[in-house]
Amino acid sequence: MTRKIDGKIVAFKVKSQEQEAPQAAAPAQPAVEVEHMHEDMQRPEKLLGTTYKLKTPEHISEHSLFITINDVVLNEGTEHEVRRPFEVFINSKSLEHFQWIVALTRIMSAVFRKGGDCTFLVEELRSVFDPRGGYWNKGKYVPSLIAEIGNVIEQHLTEIGMLGKPEVDEHQQAFLEAKKAELEGKTEEVEESGNFPPSATLCYKCHNKSVIVKDGCQTCLNCGDSKCG
């Protein structure tokens, strides 16, 4: 193929054979297979476990409950590495609650191994109320022993990253700190939960006995919930 040059030649360049040859297509990157939790997954020989000690008032249970949650690590060593609960065990010297504890742990373990979002278990357990009434444990109202087990499950799921920690903005945190500072020195008696005045009432949001009336407004010193918005 010829080409007529109408203008003045001001520069030139010689093409190499590499430039003339068509560039080879880049090799396709193999698709990364991300492993997810599913019910057909075989139990690994070794799992990471965390044990929580749950001490309740003596009229609920004379002995402590030890809740062990074993986790499996998926996609270990990759950017998709996650830690997911695989099974749960609850042990106690007391045999009073043996039957329903065994049933509860088997159901929860089955939900864990099913895969997907298992965080709904927390609210389901925490919504169980004892018909005989709840109890106070370390200054916090607990509607039932099952609800307190739900609190432990929530703590574990938060630690492994499945649940986010409740956020309090800096202005709200500063407001709460100012409220606590105003109360310091006015009373020597504090609740077992830590630095809440004995006149504080129950917060129906976080279940702590930490609601006070300040400037005509009911405010929770623990979670910041306020009737005044």
Side-chain angles (χ1 to χ4, degrees), residues 52-180:
Y52 301 87
K53 180 180 179 180
L54 177 56
K55 178 65 176 176
T56 62
E58 290 187 0
H59 71 280
I60 300 298
S61 179
E62 295 182 359
H63 303 281
S64 299
L65 274 68
F66 295 89
I67 304 174
T68 299
I69 305 176
N70 291 332
D71 302 323
V72 61
V73 179
L74 302 174
N75 310 298
E76 187 173 4
T78 70
E79 60 179 348
H80 303 288
E81 178 176 323
V82 291
R83 183 171 170 175
R84 292 291 180 263
F86 190 86
E87 59 191 10
V88 58
F89 302 98
I90 302 178
N91 296 313
S92 176
K93 292 182 179 179
S94 176
L95 298 178
E96 180 183 0
H97 310 293
F98 178 78
Q99 293 188 45
W100 67 259
I101 282 181
V102 171
L104 181 64
T105 55
R106 290 185 179 182
I107 292 173
M108 287 195 296
S109 298
V111 172
F112 289 157
R113 290 192 292 268
K114 187 76 173 178
D117 185 12
C118 63
T119 58
F120 71 91
L121 280 176
V122 173
E123 288 304 321
E124 292 295 332
L125 296 175
R126 292 175 62 178
S127 63
V128 176
F129 287 80
D130 191 333
R132 298 172 297 178
Y135 57 92
W136 293 91
N137 194 3
K138 298 181 180 179
K140 185 174 182 179
Y141 175 74
V142 183
S144 66
L145 178 57
I146 295 178
E148 191 151 23
I149 294 175
N151 292 338
V152 174
I153 300 298
E154 179 186 34
Q155 178 184 348
H156 184 77
L157 296 184
T158 301
E159 290 180 356
I160 66 175
M162 290 192 70
L163 282 175
K165 296 182 179 180
E167 297 182 357
V168 179
D169 59 47
E170 56 181 3
H171 300 291
Q172 191 176 23
Q173 185 63 37
F175 174 76
L176 295 178
E177 294 298 331
K179 293 281 188 180
K180 291 180 181 179

Side-chain angles (χ1 to χ4, degrees), residues 1-13:
M1 178 179 180
T2 59
R3 180 178 179 184
K4 183 179 179 181
I5 301 176
D6 298 327
K8 185 178 179 180
I9 298 176
V10 295
F12 68 93
K13 182 178 180 181

